[in-house]
Amino acid sequence: MAKILLIEDNELNRDMLSRRLVRHGYDVLVAYDGASGVEMTGTELPDLVLMDMSLPVLDGWEAAQRLKANPETRSIPVIALTAHAMTADRERALAAGCDDYDTKPIELPRLLEKMQRLLARR
């Protein structure tokens, strides 16, 4: 069972997505802001991180850069989750170090496919 860290500050989004992932067989950990997400990634070493980009304390752009700059966490795939659906937003997420990008509202089959592809590469 793959361990997924979901970094999401919106309670409704966090609860809905974490329950759906658990039903699909994932072990889900949750962080509520970018700083605690970076810290949890370092201590829990999840198989994959799903990260909202508009987070309090430390936004997702900076959190992704920190994860990819750290030798202990740089190989952990990160999927950016954001309501920003412009091409420039996707490019910005990838430039920050995210391995993939998905838009909100989440289409679970599409997200699961991206997750499975990245987990298979690990």
Side-chain angles (χ1 to χ4, degrees):
M1 175 176 358
K3 185 179 359 176
I4 308 299
L5 175 59
L6 173 60
I7 309 172
E8 171 65 67
D9 65 318
N10 180 285
E11 183 178 2
L12 183 63
N13 291 343
R14 185 176 60 240
D15 292 345
M16 185 235 7
L17 184 53
S18 63
R19 281 193 316 253
R20 293 172 84 188
L21 292 172
V22 167
R23 280 196 301 263
H24 279 84
Y26 293 101
D27 180 19
V28 179
L29 306 169
V30 175
Y32 307 102
D33 63 67
S36 63
V38 169
E39 183 179 328
M40 282 184 72
T41 302
T43 58
E44 297 290 337
L45 299 175
D47 298 300
L48 185 135
V49 173
L50 297 173
M51 182 162 22
D52 180 31
M53 300 311 279
S54 298
L55 294 166
V57 183
L58 183 68
D59 68 32
W61 318 107
E62 180 65 26
Q65 289 175 340
R66 290 185 187 187
L67 291 177
K68 294 304 179 171
N70 182 339
E72 294 180 4
T73 59
R74 79 169 42 123
S75 67
I76 298 172
V78 176
I79 298 178
L81 302 178
T82 181
H84 304 285
M86 304 297 288
T87 302
D89 296 312
R90 181 181 191 282
E91 292 170 359
R92 182 177 175 206
L94 297 176
C98 295
D99 298 277
D100 208 333
Y101 169 93
D102 205 52
T103 57
K104 295 178 182 179
I106 299 296
E107 290 180 26
L108 191 61
R110 180 183 65 207
L111 179 61
L112 289 172
E113 182 180 312
K114 291 177 179 189
M115 291 171 59
Q116 291 164 356
R117 182 176 39 81
L118 288 170
L119 288 167
R121 289 193 342 210
R122 269 198 103 198

